Amino acid sequence: QVQLVESGGGLVQAGGSLRLSCTASGSIFSINAMGWYRQAPGKQRELVASITSDGNTNYADSAKGRFTIYRDNTKNTVYLQMNSLKPEDTAVYYCNADLKIAAQWYNYWGQGTQVTVSS
């Protein structure tokens, strides 16, 4: 069974740091772009950061300078290092990836991990 499993969320004070991890498991032939999205209560899901298979990154303006996305292709894992966290970063964070399974490409979502930043 192919799935994306996230970890690393939690409760942190403003100014603190968290690192999120997302590992793709199952019969995966290849992985293209991977990314992190977030959804706060009452708001739409939004892109936080993404990274291509060869390491090109893209960040939301709110994440630039504070968050870093990187990946370990040997482990099928993408990370999001979040520094200088603010209360407005509070949301459920979702991992997303384009996975090649049995010669077809599919877009997968993780189950989400809660990040809460207290003021």
Side-chain angles (χ1 to χ4, degrees):
Q1 181 181 358
V2 175
Q3 58 181 346
L4 299 178
V5 179
E6 299 134 334
S7 62
L11 173 64
V12 64
Q13 289 188 332
S17 298
L18 284 173
R19 189 182 76 160
L20 306 182
S21 301
C22 170
T23 299
S25 63
S27 300
I28 300 166
F29 182 78
S30 182
I31 302 177
N32 197 356
M34 304 183 82
W36 289 95
Y37 290 72
R38 68 186 182 187
Q39 188 167 20
K43 295 188 176 181
Q44 288 188 328
R45 191 173 297 190
E46 61 178 4
L47 174 69
V48 177
S50 63
I51 183 168
T52 63
S53 57
D54 54 1
N56 292 316
T57 59
N58 180 48
Y59 293 93
D61 287 343
S62 59
K64 289 178 181 176
R66 299 188 300 126
F67 295 0
T68 302
I69 188 170
Y70 59 101
R71 62 194 283 176
D72 184 339
N73 292 330
T74 66
K75 297 180 180 180
N76 289 347
T77 299
V78 63
Y79 304 92
L80 185 67
Q81 177 67 44
M82 303 186 293
N83 299 329
S84 301
L85 283 161
K86 305 174 181 180
E88 51 263 44
D89 295 317
T90 295
V92 178
Y93 283 69
Y94 296 91
C95 177
N96 180 268
D98 292 324
L99 308 178
K100 191 172 186 179
I101 304 164
Q104 293 279 0
W105 286 97
Y106 300 89
N107 185 258
Y108 270 75
W109 290 93
Q111 80 284 359
T113 185
Q114 177 70 46
V115 171
T116 303
V117 184
S118 62
S119 58

